[in-house]
Amino acid sequence: MKKLAIILAAAAVLVPAVPAAFAQQADERPGYHYGPAQNWMNDPNGLVYYDGEYHLFYQYNPHGDRWGHMNWGHAVSPDLVNWKELPVAIPETDVMAFSGTAVIDWKNTSGFGKNGKPPMIAIYTGHNPKTERQSQYLAYSNDRGRTFTIHGEVLSKGEEKHFRDPKVFWHEPTKRWVMVVLLAAANTAEIYTSSDLKDWTHRSSFGPAGGRGKFWECPDLFELPVEGGAPGEKRWVLSINLGDNAVGGGSGGQYFVGDFDGEKFTTVPGWPSAPQWMDYGADFYATISWSDMPKSDPRRVWMGWANDWNYANFIPTYPARGIMTVARTVALRKTGEGYHILQAPVRELATLRGEPRRASALTLSETPVALPVEGGKADIELELDTGTADQVSIALTDGQGWQTRIGVNPTANEVFVDRTRSGPHFHDGFANRHVAPVDLKSRKVKLRVLADESIVEVFVNDGRQTITDRFYRGGGQLTWSATARGGKAVMNLTAWPMRSMGSRE
Ligand code: FRU
């Protein structure tokens, strides 16, 4: 059954009938994670900044709360935190509008600009539901992304069924557009270039490499300065999502670090052959980054769909299914272990913080102590010295006793999220424990925990590892406590209650 669900959902064909979802309690609804008011949502698409607005387009089914009839839904934000839902931007036609990119065509290379203003161009996969053929489409907008004119197909590979998820960007050194698009079933990333966004030339192919699975999906490619690298060092990050077989048990993301000359991506010498995961939880998928960030803002910011194809069509929420993670900055650092990414919630998220509560030098033992965290929407920074304990855990307990635990296990060098007892059963692939490998020789660890009623995003040691997991609890307010097993541990904590984003208040 589980296998069947994966195949049906990920292959983007018919979705199996599911038992009626039980309504999500109002107090379980995330407040500062974006989700549409109703219906189904998956991948973030076309993330782009233009004229004072961050755009979040996404895979959206206006006709129901399960996958199907893909349109590009739309939300905008002035600050990457407060999102406002707008009408559908790109509708389903004879093809569904699958995932893709949006860019601002500043030089009007496409010729679709109007009145001296650059067009917003969406390049996305058109999926023919009858033949299952997939090819790349172009649509343009002259009204700040509110409506798009579909120009039509710009790149195909004949009858290929798994050719999808184009990510397009302007490559300044070669003064051309670059597209990374996947042969999803072959597990390869194909690189094309264009001078006008319409006529594309194939340049190179990358993969299979790292984590392999039924499908590679939703790639991204961008350059970042290297913290701790040689002076002025920059490298390219190629991120590739994996429809199944990822570290969290189902879908997830991996990345490669290397060089890109405008035509070909090559990993740095010694890049590991084992997959390097973006996140160790189950619910961080289809990540892509913003195009055309404001000129004064050097950040690379990305966002993921907080879900897993394993059970995405079954999550017990109503009337909407699917939320995004918070927007995160992604940076690159070089250490003795090589190159790795660092993720952090965007700093703008702090604008939703209320008055902090603090606990210093809190001693933890077998007897649970209540933590000074108010309710289920919180942003928590904590430093933990696991001392003589062999496990420290923070429990979020709901009104019915269901519990989600965030834990640190110094002897096994791991940080984990355990949702085996976090709520009533709804899918066999859900109730599991997710582990990030963390060096705990010093017995010390720093955690930042974003909790939002039915999701935790855990950032370990300044985002060196992250674990993103949803949980669907039984109901009632969440309360927080901590314990240490096998010895004593010490914790310093600052917790801010979080407000909901503006449009939800
Ligand atoms: C990833 C994905 C993409 C595809 C879209 C369809 O979650 O399967 O590969 O474009 O979703 O909704």
Side-chain angles (χ1 to χ4, degrees):
M1 183 58 199
K2 182 174 152 192
K3 211 166 188 179
L4 181 69
I6 296 169
I7 293 167
L8 290 177
V13 289
L14 287 175
V15 172
V18 295
F22 51 89
Q24 189 172 24
Q25 313 285 328
D27 57 10
E28 284 177 57
R29 203 138 195 214
Y32 63 93
H33 284 76
Y34 181 75
Q38 57 181 18
N39 295 326
W40 166 271
M41 177 182 80
N42 58 292
D43 317 356
N45 296 154
L47 305 183
V48 65
Y49 173 84
Y50 180 59
D51 198 15
E53 291 178 321
Y54 294 90
H55 294 263
L56 162 57
F57 299 97
Y58 47 83
Q59 291 288 281
Y60 183 61
N61 180 0
H63 306 294
D65 63 359
R66 284 183 244 152
W67 187 90
H69 294 289
M70 287 295 110
N71 287 234
W72 274 30
H74 191 196
V76 288
S77 168
D79 56 7
L80 292 164
V81 171
N82 293 282
W83 294 99
K84 188 172 98 191
E85 186 171 352
L86 295 179
V88 158
I90 304 180
E92 174 188 35
T93 55
D94 54 329
V95 293
M96 293 193 210
F98 269 23
S99 290
T101 320
V103 291
I104 305 304
D105 182 10
W106 290 105
K107 297 181 206 297
N108 196 22
T109 61
S110 62
F112 293 127
K114 213 165 133 187
N115 303 330
K117 295 243 168 79
M120 181 184 290
I121 305 276
I123 307 259
Y124 61 97
T125 300
H127 170 87
N128 184 318
K130 294 204 182 83
T131 61
E132 291 179 25
R133 179 176 180 271
Q134 298 182 342
S135 57
Q136 314 324 316
Y137 276 59
L138 185 153
Y140 61 92
S141 170
N142 302 112
D143 60 359
R144 303 166 81 222
R146 271 45 180 189
T147 58
F148 281 81
T149 303
I150 299 175
H151 168 71
E153 186 179 275
V154 289
L155 176 62
S156 91
K157 263 190 173 295
E159 295 310 305
E160 176 60 50
K161 289 190 174 165
H162 296 292
F163 185 40
R164 61 176 176 269
D165 304 344
K167 173 72 195 206
V168 172
F169 61 92
W170 176 256
H171 186 250
E172 187 54 32
T174 51
K175 303 225 175 323
R176 283 193 307 216
W177 297 100
V178 173
M179 180 197 293
V180 187
V181 57
L182 301 174
L183 280 173
N187 287 190
T188 64
E190 305 298 321
I191 295 178
Y192 292 79
T193 63
S194 172
S195 57
D196 63 0
L197 291 160
K198 290 179 277 194
D199 194 15
W200 293 93
T201 307
H202 187 256
R203 299 290 177 185
S204 68
S205 184
F206 174 84
R212 299 156 207 211
K214 187 166 163 58
F215 296 128
W216 273 15
E217 299 186 319
C218 302
D220 203 346
L221 178 62
F222 48 82
E223 193 180 32
L224 286 176
V226 181
E227 294 172 16
E233 182 177 350
K234 288 183 169 187
R235 299 282 178 180
W236 288 77
V237 175
L238 173 66
S239 60
I240 305 258
N241 289 271
L242 205 57
D244 60 348
N245 218 16
V247 67
S251 36
Q254 61 173 327
Y255 65 95
F256 302 87
V257 176
D259 295 310
F260 177 65
D261 63 5
E263 297 197 350
K264 192 173 168 47
F265 174 82
T266 338
T267 49
V268 289
W271 183 255
S273 55
Q276 303 299 299
W277 302 110
M278 291 176 197
D279 189 281
Y280 290 86
D283 294 309
F284 189 62
Y285 194 59
T287 331
I288 55 160
S289 67
W290 260 272
S291 306
D292 299 280
M293 287 290 283
K295 292 262 172 322
S296 57
D297 189 345
R299 291 177 299 175
R300 180 59 56 171
V301 177
W302 69 13
M303 179 181 258
W305 174 44
N307 219 332
D308 185 329
W309 276 120
N310 239 340
Y311 47 72
N313 273 286
F314 303 85
I315 60 172
T317 67
Y318 180 83
R321 252 203 197 102
I323 59 167
M324 298 300 178
T325 65
V326 298
R328 301 176 178 183
T329 54
V330 47
L332 190 57
R333 186 198 271 167
K334 191 178 183 192
T335 64
E337 298 173 315
Y339 296 88
H340 59 79
I341 60 167
L342 294 171
Q343 298 177 73
V346 290
R347 59 169 178 270
E348 291 88 337
L349 195 66
T351 58
L352 297 181
R353 285 173 167 177
E355 284 304 306
R357 292 217 201 158
R358 295 196 165 85
S360 21
L362 193 65
T363 303
L364 306 178
S365 65
E366 303 269 350
T367 316
V369 290
L371 296 178
V373 184
E374 279 167 67
K377 295 184 191 63
D379 181 352
I380 304 167
E381 288 178 1
L382 62 92
E383 290 165 359
L384 188 65
D385 184 337
T386 59
T388 51
D390 57 37
Q391 182 169 293
V392 177
S393 71
I394 297 169
L396 290 76
T397 310
D398 77 4
Q400 298 179 16
W402 297 101
Q403 213 167 61
T404 303
R405 290 189 311 134
I406 300 165
V408 179
N409 195 330
T411 43
N413 285 301
E414 61 183 38
V415 172
F416 64 85
V417 172
D418 185 340
R419 58 180 190 183
T420 51
R421 289 182 298 130
S422 72
H425 176 88
F426 73 93
H427 189 277
D428 289 351
F430 185 81
N432 39 28
R433 183 176 179 270
H434 298 123
V435 173
V438 177
D439 182 355
L440 289 162
K441 276 196 292 294
S442 67
R443 303 191 77 85
K444 293 192 174 122
V445 66
K446 263 170 56 177
L447 300 180
R448 171 125 179 236
V449 177
L450 297 180
D452 193 3
E453 304 295 356
S454 58
I455 181 169
V456 284
E457 297 188 46
V458 181
F459 299 80
V460 185
N461 292 335
D462 300 314
R464 167 74 177 89
Q465 293 89 1
T466 63
I467 306 179
T468 307
D469 272 337
R470 289 206 72 181
F471 53 99
Y472 302 97
R473 56 197 168 95
Q477 284 290 316
L478 287 176
T479 53
W480 297 70
S481 61
T483 47
R485 199 182 64 190
K488 289 207 161 37
V490 180
M491 180 189 279
N492 289 321
L493 164 148
T494 307
W496 292 264
M498 291 290 279
R499 282 185 291 274
S500 291
M501 64 176 76
S503 56
R504 302 259 174 98
E505 280 180 334

